[in-house]
């Protein structure tokens, strides 16, 4: 049965960053199957930025949540990163890590994994500091608005990154397409979009609470990206079995696209 759509207010009231991080980002390298979503994401970002040579001055991350794993490769290729999220508690959780406050989530196992991909596991502490230096702002973002960063107006970025955000924020396919058009206004012509979407999922759990997810197939994602004014440069999709008590996804898709 399809989950009822989780409205913005429900995220603001009920999304608990600590529960989310513990459930999905507690990393055990020897259990790669268990960490499939995360390792696929980390390898794809390594491939996109460091191996693929995608670089520039500014990267805006749409719907960062309370996570920093998506910046571990990007910080090597962009002078500044702007993180964004809708909920106050997610932005506060990220700030806790950026400021090294007590109780901040321990990202070091994930950072070490990425450093190993880059060829030097021992540089993980320097990598954490580089991420902290590169994230210049943590802003509120609402992808359902024509200017998602309103009331701010930023110069268009070289790259937009978004991982597992739009399918949680959008009620149906038309609103997904509209959200992609909204965020496309934040990237300059010739700039890039790096998009991760979960495929064929209707819900995911955070703690004991269920949150909705827009059911998407690969074709719908491709069409929406093209309609938002981008040419897809490469795309990779993966299918997997999942622990259906946590979420009911069937796959994951990553793509890199260039704005007309």
């Amino acid at each position: 049965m399809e989950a009822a759509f989780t409205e913005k207010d429900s995220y603001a009231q009920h999304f608990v960053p600590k529960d989310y991080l513990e459930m999905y980002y507690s990393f055990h390298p020897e259990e790669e199957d268990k960490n499939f979503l995360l390792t696929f994401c980390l390898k794809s970002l390594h491939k996109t930025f460091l191996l693929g040579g995608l670089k520039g001055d500014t990267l805006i991350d749409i719907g960062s949540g309370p996570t920093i794993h998506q910046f571990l490769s990007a910080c090597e290729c962009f002078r500044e990163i702007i993180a964004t999220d809708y909920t106050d508690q997610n932005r506060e959780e990220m700030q806790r890590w950026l400021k090294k406050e007590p109780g901040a989530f321990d990202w070091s196992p994930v950072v070490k994994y990425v450093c190993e991909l880059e060829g030097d596991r021992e540089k993980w502490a320097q990598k954490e500091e580089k991420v902290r230096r590169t994230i210049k702002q943590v802003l509120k973002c609402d992808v359902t608005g024509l200017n998602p960063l309103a009331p701010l107006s930023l110069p268009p970025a070289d790259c937009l990154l978004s991982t597992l955000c739009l399918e949680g924020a959008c009620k149906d396919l038309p609103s997904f397409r509209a959200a992609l058009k909204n965020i496309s206004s934040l990237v300059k012509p010739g700039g890039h979009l790096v998009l991760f979407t979960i495929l064929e999922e209707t819900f995911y759990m955070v703690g004991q609470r269920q949150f909705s997810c827009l059911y998407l197939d690969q074709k719908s994602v491709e069409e929406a990206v093209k309609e938002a004014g981008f040419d897809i440069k490469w795309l990779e999709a993966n299918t997997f079995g999942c622990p259906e008590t946590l979420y009911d996804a069937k796959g994951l898709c990553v793509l890199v696209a260039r704005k007309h």
Side-chain angles (χ1 to χ4, degrees):
M1 195 178 84
E2 209 162 303
F5 178 64
T6 308
E7 301 284 351
K8 288 186 271 194
D9 289 350
S10 192
Y11 270 95
Q13 289 172 29
H14 301 301
F15 192 91
V16 181
K18 279 275 190 286
D19 289 348
Y20 178 70
L21 292 170
E22 292 296 339
M23 288 175 80
Y24 297 105
Y25 297 94
S26 293
F27 191 66
H28 308 285
E30 66 282 358
E31 299 176 6
E32 189 141 338
D33 284 354
K34 202 171 173 183
N35 296 300
F36 174 78
L37 275 177
L38 181 54
T39 52
F40 178 76
C41 186
L42 296 172
K43 287 175 179 173
S44 299
L45 290 167
H46 174 69
K47 177 181 169 182
T48 299
F49 294 117
L50 286 156
L51 303 182
L54 189 56
K55 59 188 177 186
D57 287 328
T58 305
L59 177 144
I60 298 176
D61 184 42
I62 301 294
S64 306
T67 66
I68 60 94
H69 68 286
Q70 66 272 36
F71 305 132
L72 295 171
S73 295
C75 74
E76 305 293 343
C77 302
F78 288 85
R79 195 172 49 81
E80 66 171 21
I81 289 171
I82 297 166
T84 73
D85 198 73
Y86 181 75
T87 72
D88 296 344
Q89 65 268 34
N90 278 342
R91 298 194 307 278
E92 286 159 10
E93 186 65 40
M94 185 184 291
Q95 291 283 13
R96 201 165 287 133
W97 183 84
L98 290 172
K99 294 172 181 174
K100 301 186 193 178
E101 290 177 3
F105 187 72
D106 178 14
W107 283 100
S108 61
V110 178
V111 181
K112 286 171 184 173
Y113 179 84
V114 172
C115 288
E116 207 165 298
L117 289 178
E118 292 176 10
D120 185 3
R121 183 181 170 83
E122 297 312 308
K123 69 172 187 178
W124 68 271
Q126 294 101 293
K127 169 77 82 178
E128 286 196 345
E129 290 312 305
K130 187 154 194 178
V131 173
R132 289 185 173 103
R133 284 197 310 273
T134 309
I135 296 175
K136 304 296 188 189
Q137 299 182 78
V138 181
L139 303 176
K140 187 173 177 77
C141 172
D142 181 354
V143 299
T144 65
L146 285 175
N147 172 13
L149 302 179
L152 296 179
S153 185
L154 298 186
D158 299 293
C159 184
L160 276 187
L161 171 64
S162 189
T163 61
L164 312 183
C165 163
L166 300 181
E167 55 272 52
C170 298
K171 187 171 190 169
D172 51 27
L173 205 46
S175 55
F176 178 76
R177 290 194 187 109
L180 266 170
K181 286 176 182 167
N182 293 340
I183 67 170
S184 78
S185 67
L186 303 174
V187 67
K188 60 178 66 164
H192 288 85
L193 168 71
V194 182
L195 182 69
F196 284 77
T197 44
I198 203 96
L199 298 177
E200 298 179 44
E201 178 176 273
T202 65
F203 80 91
Y204 67 101
M205 302 297 295
V206 178
Q208 297 304 305
R209 189 169 284 273
Q210 188 180 90
F211 290 83
S212 67
C213 185
L214 175 61
Y215 185 96
L216 290 168
D217 58 30
Q218 184 183 323
K219 186 166 182 263
S220 303
V221 174
E222 289 183 52
E223 286 172 353
V225 167
K226 289 171 184 170
E227 196 182 295
F230 294 92
D231 294 317
I232 296 171
K233 292 175 69 176
W234 69 265
L235 179 148
E236 187 179 337
N238 245 313
T239 55
F240 54 86
C242 70
E244 291 207 2
T245 49
L246 292 184
Y247 54 91
D248 64 347
K250 301 294 183 289
L252 186 65
C253 166
V254 55
L255 62 86
V256 176
R258 187 169 183 267
K259 188 174 178 181
H260 296 167

